[in-house]
Amino acid sequence: MRSYVLAMVVAVVALGALATCNDSSSDRSVTRVAEPDDVIDQDLMVALAQAKNFHHKAKVYITDGNFTDAIAAVRQILSLRFPTGAPEAEDVRNDARALLAKLLVGQKELDEAMRTVDEGIAQSTRESFFVANLYTVQGEIYQARADKVEAEGQKPQAQELRRSAIGAYDKSIKINDTLQKKLMEER
Amino acid sequence: MATDDDFLSSPVPDPDAAATPSERARAKTFADLVDKTLAGRTPPAMSADDRALLEVATVIRAASGNAELAPGKQRSLVEDALRQAIGGPAASMPGVTPIERGRRRWLPWAIAGGTSVIAAAAVLLLWLRSAPHDATPQPDVARTPETWRSRPTDPLIGPIAREHAGDASSRIDYIFADRMDGYRDRRLTRGGKR
């Protein structure tokens, strides 16, 4: 009886090994085309469409002179959920930050505008024309701060802020130049 | 009156009639013959009628379930079975198959062994066949068009001039339209797959 049980166990193990091997080979279908993970999918298109709608909404508010709601609409773009690792997400968010900062500058909220730009620069994983644009807006914020402190009679501080503005513009120009050269080489 | 030799051919007597002395003697003789047969001492010669009657009596006794082996034979069979159970040699009992010989111990092991060999051969074959495929890269991934991929939008947008720093609305329109082209193209090419 014991020999029967042992023999059956051996047979079952052998058949199990065969079945496992067969399963692993059948997973790979010859008709299935492998697809990379970074293709444009529905999730990305939905996120881009929502960003587009919020921008249009903000544009309408700006046209009406309703900057508070325009700022709120642009902020919503920053909380949109994009597919993980999608490069478009970083570009769209940085562009929204640039617009948001400019709107905040228009509302004399210079500190908040600078914080918005600084966060965008810090969170960026690569240099892009959008990061360069953030530096451009940063330069404008420095300029606005300089004008403000100069009006308050703090001329040396204003000069320092203007130097910071020039530094931000230089960074923007440098990034743009580097990227343009890189793109030209790739073509 | 019927004699001993022709009682089978004589007329059937009245059931209520008393047995005649010859009938009693005949019955006793037959009873002795049956007893001898059951004791294993069957007479070598007997009449054809007696042999027929004896066979009928034996069949009737066996059918009634009273047939038993002789005590000596019973003891011999039990001891032989016990001896085989503890691994001893089988006694030379004619017509009895030893327990060890009755089992086919090699059969399940032969089935298990055969199955294992077949499974091992199949695994080896599959491994040998799949090895070259694993070594080659997936060309389909490399052939995926650039426009189908999620990618930076720098080549699409280009440098952003300072006077257009806040024109994010027009840029998102452009980005969305471009990615929609790639998405549609991929879906139509691949038969509607996401």
Side-chain angles (χ1 to χ4, degrees):
Chain A
M1 186 65 187
R2 195 168 54 189
S3 62
Y4 273 90
V5 172
L6 279 172
M8 286 302 110
V9 167
V10 170
V12 167
V13 168
L15 288 172
L18 179 61
T20 305
C21 192
N22 192 36
D23 283 348
S24 63
S25 65
S26 63
D27 285 344
R28 190 183 303 143
S29 168
V30 293
T31 56
R32 182 179 171 276
V33 179
E35 197 168 70
D37 294 332
D38 59 352
V39 291
I40 300 167
D41 60 5
Q42 193 172 348
D43 292 341
L44 176 63
M45 292 315 300
V46 168
L48 288 174
Q50 286 179 309
K52 186 179 159 198
N53 288 336
F54 282 126
H55 271 300
H56 287 186
K57 196 175 168 185
K59 198 173 182 181
V60 173
Y61 284 131
I62 292 166
T63 306
D64 284 348
N66 185 353
F67 292 99
T68 305
D69 286 338
I71 287 169
V74 178
R75 279 190 195 282
Q76 286 183 282
I77 297 169
L78 300 181
S79 57
L80 287 175
R81 293 190 66 179
F82 281 83
T84 307
E88 289 92 342
E90 190 173 303
D91 293 348
V92 168
R93 287 192 186 118
N94 280 342
D95 217 8
R97 283 183 184 280
L99 174 60
L100 180 60
K102 284 182 79 72
L103 289 171
L104 289 167
V105 168
Q107 298 300 300
K108 309 293 183 192
E109 295 181 35
L110 301 182
D111 290 342
E112 179 66 17
M114 185 61 86
R115 192 160 39 247
T116 302
V117 168
D118 287 346
E119 283 176 0
I121 292 169
Q123 289 173 13
S124 296
T125 58
R126 59 185 166 81
E127 290 191 334
S128 66
F129 292 129
F130 298 92
V131 174
N133 190 39
L134 281 177
Y135 279 111
T136 300
V137 176
Q138 191 183 52
E140 292 178 4
I141 298 169
Y142 278 127
Q143 270 191 288
R145 273 182 173 175
D147 293 344
K148 185 184 175 188
V149 297
E150 192 174 45
E152 293 168 354
Q154 300 171 359
K155 204 165 184 180
Q157 200 176 349
Q159 285 179 336
E160 194 180 329
L161 285 168
R162 287 198 177 99
R163 277 197 294 274
S164 296
I166 290 169
Y169 291 136
D170 283 344
K171 277 189 180 176
S172 177
I173 291 166
K174 190 180 173 187
I175 290 171
N176 281 334
D177 284 348
T178 306
L179 280 175
Q180 277 183 304
K181 281 180 187 172
K182 190 179 168 188
L183 290 174
M184 289 296 285
E185 285 170 4
E186 287 175 358
R187 283 177 186 173
Chain B
M1 188 173 179
T3 63
D4 287 348
D5 295 332
D6 59 356
F7 77 99
L8 291 174
S9 57
S10 61
V12 177
D14 185 5
D16 296 329
T20 62
S22 67
E23 286 174 340
R24 288 179 188 278
R26 177 78 187 174
K28 189 173 184 311
T29 304
F30 185 70
D32 290 342
L33 184 60
V34 170
D35 289 341
K36 285 178 183 174
T37 302
L38 292 177
R41 292 181 285 111
T42 309
M46 66 184 79
S47 68
D49 293 334
D50 284 348
R51 188 174 296 282
L53 285 171
L54 189 60
E55 285 177 2
V56 170
T58 305
V59 168
I60 290 170
R61 184 174 178 277
S64 67
N66 293 327
E68 289 182 0
L69 290 172
K73 193 166 186 176
Q74 280 183 15
R75 194 163 44 250
S76 173
L77 283 171
V78 169
E79 285 183 2
D80 197 25
L82 290 173
R83 197 178 300 117
Q84 288 184 49
I86 61 173
S92 57
M93 180 65 68
V96 177
T97 304
I99 294 170
E100 291 299 321
R101 213 187 321 150
R103 289 181 179 174
R104 292 181 177 177
R105 300 182 72 115
W106 55 269
L107 185 60
W109 286 108
I111 294 170
T115 310
S116 300
V117 168
I118 292 169
V123 168
L124 187 66
L125 185 65
L126 288 169
W127 180 70
L128 288 173
R129 285 179 63 190
S130 61
H133 293 298
D134 292 337
T136 55
Q138 293 278 335
D140 297 311
V141 174
R143 281 204 303 269
T144 302
E146 185 70 15
T147 53
W148 291 7
R149 290 171 173 260
S150 173
R151 60 198 187 281
T153 59
D154 294 307
L156 184 70
I157 300 300
I160 301 168
R162 188 178 168 187
E163 59 271 23
H164 297 299
D167 290 350
S169 180
S170 58
R171 284 192 288 273
I172 188 68
D173 287 348
Y174 200 33
I175 292 169
F176 180 83
D178 180 80
R179 294 302 185 261
M180 182 56 87
D181 281 347
Y183 178 62
R184 280 189 182 140
D185 186 42
R186 187 173 75 86
R187 285 198 62 178
L188 292 172
T189 305
R190 296 179 64 81
K193 285 183 77 176
R194 284 184 64 192

